[in-house]
């Protein structure tokens, strides 16, 4: 290490990280930085870490962060960048043993303090830059930019960008006519002053032939959307040292290159400065570090970790402080420039819901509450007038994103009772069965669960209740359940989901969801770590009923032969697996709630066999008459039952003299019934108004269950009008 008086040790305290190399330190606010990852140990016995620390530059204090959420795997030689105040992203890296980290983009959010820090995978649709290490990641608002690196098999020179203000997120490969040579272990930094303002400037690195480089290139975006590279000119007086595994930072219009190593072992590598205005290089005393990291506070540089040339196999934990104003003091050209202009603080993401100010979001360019994961699902899926995804198309979200969303939804369900107590006004939806286009039509025509009034949102005026059977039969179960989970997570007290008979692994393994996960996610549904399995575990925590205004009970199927009081439902345990081969009263109660139907008419009383649903005559699935309905309502002080479960011609149908209403929201069920779909508007005065949609040609694909053979194995939910001869004749 140089003993130059301009370089001094920066003594830190607190939870000081182990000595390491290949890590990153990222400045996320004026005085706070985040350290992540790297490798610790010495002389070949290195361990890759996933540690996260914050560093307060004013108090010189490190704090270890124990973040919640989906954390990145341990890695080194990755890249990081701040995207907004107190937020940063990381990408790529090596995990040891020749393996590379995933191609996920991870976001760390510490806006609520280190103790409430959260990691998440940023949901990205489409292709990615792929796995790599030794690359760079920069943020030129609104674009994240990845450049070059090594894929594990080759050194590359590609450029990828991601616009953080455009939802859904998608990586885009930049096509240019001229590119820098391929490289790894180079550096990139954003210039924000002078003629190179807005450019990502890349310097040095190691070429395909393992030689060190000393060229500089600037990447810029033109107003017409084109990107291009410009090679930086050098005046002949001084040429920079060829190097790699170094760092660069900008102070004003000056690019400062710190440390690194050359192709000559142990060679002293000077600190060098490139003036982007004059194209001149300047040379100063060496900082003998490589595989280190560096940040800048105004005109002061802080160097952390890496290897010192004197001990190239043992990383250091020391921090150096470099006062560039002192370093440049005797240089008449650099001295006036080496004073960093205060950078404007990045605009932060939306605060927690209780805060009032509105700010820009890395996942949404509109003020919004909720966390980024919820918002990206909602922004991508809640598009009543724009949605048009064909059947069998690859689902736009990764498995990791769905896992995280499902876990969050499950945690909310666990905190809520088995019988929800709700207030009017509220909209009540019946079976959707993966017919996502119908759901979007309802939202388009009759209002959507959004706070955006100009876009048809009516969440301030209505809660939403969905009576189960979100999945199966239709071709877009993934869109349906993911949107409903995201809405539940964002508005847990306004979006309500109860369980249907298809929210059951034994049913949806055969009738749609399993096939859809296999085709659209490319997974094995039988794998216990599959999305299919994870969603079904969440289903076991869904409530089985809701009571509105202490007057109306809502459930999926019915009251069957065993349900006598609401308290019986409240007492059911969770997680709750549906047992179809009933052997006790509790199992029968669950089957009654999820599977039973009213009798075919008000004239048929008592408990009747349900021949279509129970062809083997086990007696587990039954029909209940109007007398059972009236007895149940009287015993519980209720006035109405609202249920789903059966396809009805007009989308809704009354039974038991109006004491029970069936609502069904999927039109032209299974592509063969031509039925309407309905949603019930339950008003504050307890008035109920049905709103209907009618079958249209389905441009989004067919159902998962569509062949005659598969329909024989389990027919669709029987339409109620087919249960009476008169209705059947008039329909046909």
């Amino acid at each position: 290490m140089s003993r130059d008086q301009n370089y001094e040790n920066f003594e830190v305290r607190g939870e000081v990280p182990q000595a390491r190399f290949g890590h990153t330190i990222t400045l996320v606010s004026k005085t706070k930085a985040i350290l992540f990852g790297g490798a610790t140990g010495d002389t070949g016995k290195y361990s890759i870490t996933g540690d996260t620390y914050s560093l307060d530059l004013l108090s010189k204090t490190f704090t270890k962060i124990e973040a919640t959420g989906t954390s990145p795997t341990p890695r080194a030689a990755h890249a990081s960048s701040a995207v907004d105040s107190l937020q940063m992203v990381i990408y790529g890296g090596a995990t040891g043993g020749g393996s590379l980290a995933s191609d996920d983009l991870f976001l760390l959010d510490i806006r609520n303090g280190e103790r409430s820090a959260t990691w998440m995978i940023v949901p990205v649709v489409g292709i990615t830059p792929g796995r790599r290490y030794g690359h760079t990641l920069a943020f030129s608002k609104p674009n994240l930019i990845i450049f070059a690196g090594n894929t594990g098999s080759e050194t590359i020179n590609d450029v990828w960008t991601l616009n953080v203000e455009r939802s859904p997120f998608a990586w885009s490969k930049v096509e240019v006519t001229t590119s820098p040579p391929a490289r790894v272990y180079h550096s990139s930094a954003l210039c924000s002053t002078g003629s190179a303002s807005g450019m990502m400037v890349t310097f040095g690195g190691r070429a395909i032939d393992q030689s060190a480089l000393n060229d500089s290139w600037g990447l810029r975006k033109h107003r017409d959307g084109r990107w291009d590279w410009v090679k930086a000119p050098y005046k002949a007086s001084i040429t920079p040292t060829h190097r790699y595994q170094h760092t660069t930072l900008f102070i004003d219009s000056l690019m400062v290159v710190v440390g690194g190593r050359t192709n000559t072992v142990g060679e002293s590598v000077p600190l060098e400065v490139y003036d982007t205005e004059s194209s001149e290089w300047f040379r100063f005393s060496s900082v003998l570090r490589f595989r280190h990291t560096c940040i800048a506070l105004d005109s002061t540089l802080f160097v952390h970790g890496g290897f010192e040339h004197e001990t190239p196999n043992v990383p250091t934990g020391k921090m150096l402080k470099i006062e560039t104003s002192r370093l440049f003091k005797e240089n008449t050209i650099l001295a006036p420039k080496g004073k960093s202009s205060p950078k404007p603080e990045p605009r932060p993401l939306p605060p927690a819901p209780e805060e009032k100010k509105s700010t820009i979001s890395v996942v949404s360019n509109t003020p919004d509450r909720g966390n980024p994961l919820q918002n990206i699902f909602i922004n991508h899926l809640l598009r009543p007038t724009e949605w048009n995804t064909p059947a069998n198309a690859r689902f736009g979200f990764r498995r990791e994103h769905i896992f995280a969303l499902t876990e969050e939804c499950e945690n909310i369900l666990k905190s809520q009772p088995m019988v929800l107590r709700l207030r009017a006004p509220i909209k009540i939806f019946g079976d959707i069965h993966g017919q996502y286009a119908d759901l979007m039509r309802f939202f388009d025509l009759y209002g959507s669960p959004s706070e955006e009034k100009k876009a048809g949102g009516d969440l301030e005026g209505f809660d939403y209740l969905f009576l189960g059977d979100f999945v199966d039969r239709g071709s877009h179960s993934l869109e349906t359940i993911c949107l409903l989970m995201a809405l539940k997570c964002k508005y847990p007290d306004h979006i309500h989901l109860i369980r249907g008979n298809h929210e059951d692994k034994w049913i949806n393994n055969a009738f749609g969801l399993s096939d859809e996960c296999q085709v659209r996610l490319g997974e094995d549904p039988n794998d216990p770590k599959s999305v299919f399995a994870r969603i079904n575990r969440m289903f076991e925590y869904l409530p089985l009923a809701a009571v509105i205004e202490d007057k109306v009970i809502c459930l999926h199927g019915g009251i069957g032969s065993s349900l006598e009081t609401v308290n019986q439902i409240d007492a059911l345990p969770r997680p709750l697996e549906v047992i179809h081969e009933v052997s006790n009263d509790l199992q029968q109660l669950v089957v009654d709630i999820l599977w039973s139907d009213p009798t075919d008419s008000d004239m048929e009383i008592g408990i009747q066999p349900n021949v279509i649903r129970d062809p083997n005559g086990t007696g587990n699935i039954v029909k209940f008459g109007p007398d059972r309905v009236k007895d149940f309502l009287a015993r519980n002080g209720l006035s109405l039952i609202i249920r789903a479960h059966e396809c009805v011609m007009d989308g809704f149908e009354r039974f038991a003299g109006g004491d029970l209403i069936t609502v069904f929201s999927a039109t032209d069920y299974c592509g063969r019934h031509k039925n309407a779909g309905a949603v019930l508007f339950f008003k504050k005065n307890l008035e109920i108004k049905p709103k209907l949609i009618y079958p249209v040609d389905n441009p989004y694909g067919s159902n998962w269950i569509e062949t005659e053979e598969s329909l024989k194995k389990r027919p669709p939910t029987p339409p109620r009008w087919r249960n009476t001869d008169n209705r059947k004749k008039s329909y046909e």
Side-chain angles (χ1 to χ4, degrees):
M1 181 182 71
S2 172
R3 296 179 180 176
D4 191 293
Q5 62 179 355
N6 295 310
Y7 309 152
E8 59 185 86
N9 285 329
F10 185 69
E11 300 295 338
V12 293
R13 53 180 175 266
E15 299 171 288
V16 179
Q18 287 180 272
R20 65 191 60 211
F21 64 94
H23 57 300
T24 53
I25 291 187
T26 309
L27 201 65
V28 295
S29 73
K30 186 70 173 177
T31 60
K32 190 178 290 292
I34 300 295
L35 179 153
F36 175 75
T40 61
D42 63 78
T43 318
K45 297 178 181 178
Y46 302 121
S47 298
I48 307 295
T49 76
D51 297 339
T52 308
Y53 294 83
S54 70
L55 171 62
D56 188 309
L57 292 171
L58 295 182
S59 66
K60 303 180 182 180
T61 304
F62 272 106
T63 303
K64 189 169 185 180
I65 295 176
E66 302 289 353
T68 59
T70 305
S71 301
T73 54
R75 65 191 67 200
H78 53 281
S80 69
S81 176
V83 286
D84 270 306
S85 182
L86 302 178
Q87 292 186 319
M88 70 165 225
V89 291
I90 68 164
Y91 187 91
T95 59
S99 299
L100 299 184
S102 72
D103 57 354
D104 292 308
L105 181 67
F106 287 86
L107 170 74
L108 177 68
D109 184 352
I110 61 166
R111 290 173 298 150
N112 294 320
E114 286 88 348
R115 292 184 179 180
S116 301
T118 302
W119 278 110
M120 66 164 286
I121 298 173
V122 178
V124 174
V125 299
I127 57 175
T128 73
R131 301 180 182 220
R132 63 183 69 200
Y133 70 93
H135 54 291
T136 56
L137 176 65
F139 184 53
S140 178
K141 196 172 183 69
N143 293 298
L144 282 168
I145 306 170
I146 286 178
F147 172 58
N150 190 289
T151 65
S153 59
E154 63 175 336
T155 299
I156 52 180
N157 66 342
D158 55 349
V159 178
W160 295 77
T161 64
L162 183 147
N163 188 329
V164 303
E165 295 180 355
R166 183 176 299 161
S167 177
F169 292 158
W171 286 107
S172 175
K173 188 174 183 180
V174 174
E175 302 295 342
V176 292
T177 54
T178 302
S179 297
R183 62 194 65 208
V184 64
Y185 293 130
H186 51 289
S187 63
S188 296
L190 185 71
C191 181
S192 56
T193 307
S195 58
S197 180
M199 276 191 177
M200 183 193 76
V201 182
T202 291
F203 173 78
R206 193 171 69 190
I208 293 176
D209 63 2
Q210 306 298 307
S211 62
L213 300 167
N214 77 336
D215 53 346
S216 298
W217 294 75
L219 180 69
R220 62 186 175 185
K221 185 178 184 181
H222 296 272
R223 290 185 177 182
D224 62 3
R226 290 182 300 111
W227 294 82
D228 66 9
W229 284 103
V230 177
K231 188 174 183 180
Y234 293 170
K235 288 191 175 178
S237 53
I238 296 177
T239 56
T241 305
H242 295 69
R243 70 179 83 195
Y244 60 93
Q245 294 178 346
H246 56 283
T247 55
T248 58
L249 291 168
F250 271 95
I251 295 177
D252 196 46
S253 60
L254 305 177
M255 182 174 70
V256 183
V257 184
V258 180
R261 57 177 170 174
T262 69
N263 289 118
T264 302
V265 176
E267 181 179 0
S268 178
V269 185
L271 183 149
E272 293 174 324
V273 178
Y274 179 67
D275 185 349
T276 58
E277 298 297 307
S278 66
S279 303
E280 294 179 276
W281 281 94
F282 301 87
R283 186 167 293 157
F284 298 89
S285 301
S286 300
V287 177
L288 301 181
R289 297 273 185 102
F290 62 92
R291 302 202 73 177
H292 58 286
T293 188
C294 191
I295 54 176
L297 174 58
D298 295 329
S299 60
T300 304
L301 305 182
F302 298 90
V303 182
H304 181 271
F307 295 106
E308 297 177 330
H309 283 241
E310 296 173 355
T311 54
N313 296 314
V314 182
T316 179
K318 295 178 182 178
M319 282 194 80
L320 290 181
K321 178 181 176 182
I322 304 173
E323 295 284 1
T324 60
S325 57
R326 190 190 307 165
L327 188 68
F328 301 160
K329 185 176 180 181
E330 304 301 324
N331 189 302
T332 57
I333 298 176
L334 298 185
K337 298 181 178 181
K339 300 175 182 178
S340 179
S341 303
K343 296 179 181 179
E345 283 287 306
R347 289 178 289 177
L349 290 190
E354 62 269 16
E355 295 183 40
K356 299 299 182 183
K357 59 184 180 179
S358 296
T359 48
I360 194 165
S361 169
V362 73
V363 297
S364 173
N365 56 7
T366 57
D368 213 349
R369 62 174 174 172
N371 69 29
L373 183 64
Q374 302 159 10
N375 290 338
I376 192 64
F377 272 95
I378 292 170
N379 292 341
H380 182 58
L381 294 175
L382 186 56
R383 296 186 171 190
T385 60
E386 302 172 12
W387 181 84
N388 60 348
T389 300
N392 297 339
R394 186 81 180 177
F395 191 49
F397 292 92
R398 294 185 172 198
R399 298 172 69 251
E400 295 86 347
H401 310 152
I402 307 171
F403 278 130
L405 182 68
T406 307
E407 181 176 0
E408 185 178 356
C409 184
E410 181 180 296
N411 289 335
I412 291 171
L413 296 175
K414 287 178 179 178
S415 71
Q416 296 182 338
M418 186 62 102
V419 178
L420 303 173
R421 266 67 181 184
L422 308 179
R423 296 297 176 192
I426 188 168
K427 298 181 186 179
I428 305 170
F429 288 79
D431 298 32
I432 300 169
H433 277 306
Q435 294 186 200
Y436 197 71
D438 283 343
L439 187 60
M440 292 300 101
R441 289 169 63 207
F442 275 118
F443 290 165
D444 182 30
L445 291 171
Y446 302 121
S448 65
S450 163
E451 297 169 279
E452 296 293 323
K453 293 182 180 179
K454 292 183 179 179
D458 60 7
L459 202 56
E460 290 186 8
F462 287 92
D463 277 14
Y464 282 69
L465 172 61
F466 297 86
L467 301 185
D469 279 15
F470 318 124
V471 300
D472 284 353
R473 306 292 192 191
S475 54
H476 293 90
S477 291
L478 285 170
E479 280 84 355
T480 303
I481 190 57
C482 284
L483 176 61
L484 293 180
M485 286 194 297
L487 290 169
K488 179 64 181 177
C489 292
K490 187 168 184 178
Y491 307 110
D493 298 322
H494 300 281
I495 303 296
H496 313 287
L497 312 177
I498 67 174
R499 190 174 185 177
N501 62 307
H502 281 260
E503 280 70 61
D504 174 358
K505 61 187 176 184
W506 303 111
I507 301 302
N508 57 47
N509 187 49
F511 301 111
L513 181 60
S514 174
D515 293 338
E516 189 169 336
C517 288
Q518 184 174 7
V519 172
R520 302 186 66 200
L521 294 174
E523 69 172 17
D524 176 6
N526 295 316
D527 185 343
K529 296 181 180 179
S530 65
V531 166
F532 174 78
R534 183 65 189 89
I535 289 177
N536 271 296
R537 289 196 297 274
M538 180 273 294
F539 285 159
E540 295 183 351
Y541 290 92
L542 283 167
L544 288 192
V547 175
I548 305 173
E549 297 289 352
D550 299 321
K551 291 294 183 183
V552 177
I553 186 169
C554 302
L555 34 67
H556 179 72
I559 58 176
S561 62
S562 63
L563 182 60
E564 300 293 341
T565 68
V566 176
N567 290 339
Q568 286 177 269
I569 310 175
D570 257 327
L572 288 169
R574 288 188 287 184
L576 180 63
E577 182 179 354
V578 182
I579 305 299
H580 297 269
E581 296 181 359
V582 172
S583 61
N584 59 48
D585 291 344
L586 186 148
Q587 294 169 1
Q588 182 60 60
L589 176 64
V590 174
V591 170
D592 278 339
I593 293 168
L594 295 178
W595 283 91
S596 66
D597 296 310
T599 54
D600 294 345
S601 75
D602 285 6
M603 302 302 293
E604 298 182 35
I605 62 173
I607 302 300
Q608 303 289 335
N610 198 327
V611 177
I612 294 179
R613 295 194 192 275
D614 185 20
N616 295 326
T618 66
N620 297 335
I621 302 177
V622 300
K623 296 183 179 183
F624 54 92
D627 53 330
R628 277 280 293 140
V629 172
K630 294 183 184 298
D631 287 346
F632 177 84
L633 294 175
R635 183 177 298 108
N636 291 274
L638 300 170
S639 60
L640 180 67
I641 297 173
I642 297 178
R643 45 89 68 171
H645 194 44
E646 284 186 291
C647 175
V648 288
M649 186 63 183
D650 297 321
F652 75 102
E653 184 174 290
R654 300 183 186 275
F655 176 77
D659 288 342
L660 181 147
I661 297 177
T662 297
V663 59
F664 198 83
S665 299
T667 67
D668 192 21
Y669 183 50
C670 285
R672 58 188 62 220
H673 294 312
K674 307 304 179 187
N675 60 286
V679 58
L680 303 180
F681 280 55
F682 191 104
K683 297 187 175 182
K684 192 71 177 175
N685 62 2
L686 307 189
E687 178 187 2
I688 296 176
K689 293 193 69 172
K691 302 287 186 179
L692 307 185
I693 61 172
Y694 295 93
V696 294
D697 291 336
N698 182 4
Y700 306 116
S702 57
N703 300 287
W704 286 104
I705 306 299
E706 58 185 2
T707 66
E708 289 300 326
E709 187 61 31
S710 60
L711 284 169
K712 287 177 183 176
K713 292 179 181 177
R714 175 155 191 91
T717 303
R720 282 189 63 79
W721 70 89
R722 288 187 178 273
N723 294 334
T724 62
D725 292 341
N726 292 336
R727 291 295 296 270
K728 180 177 180 180
K729 291 176 181 176
S730 64
Y731 170 69
E732 294 181 341

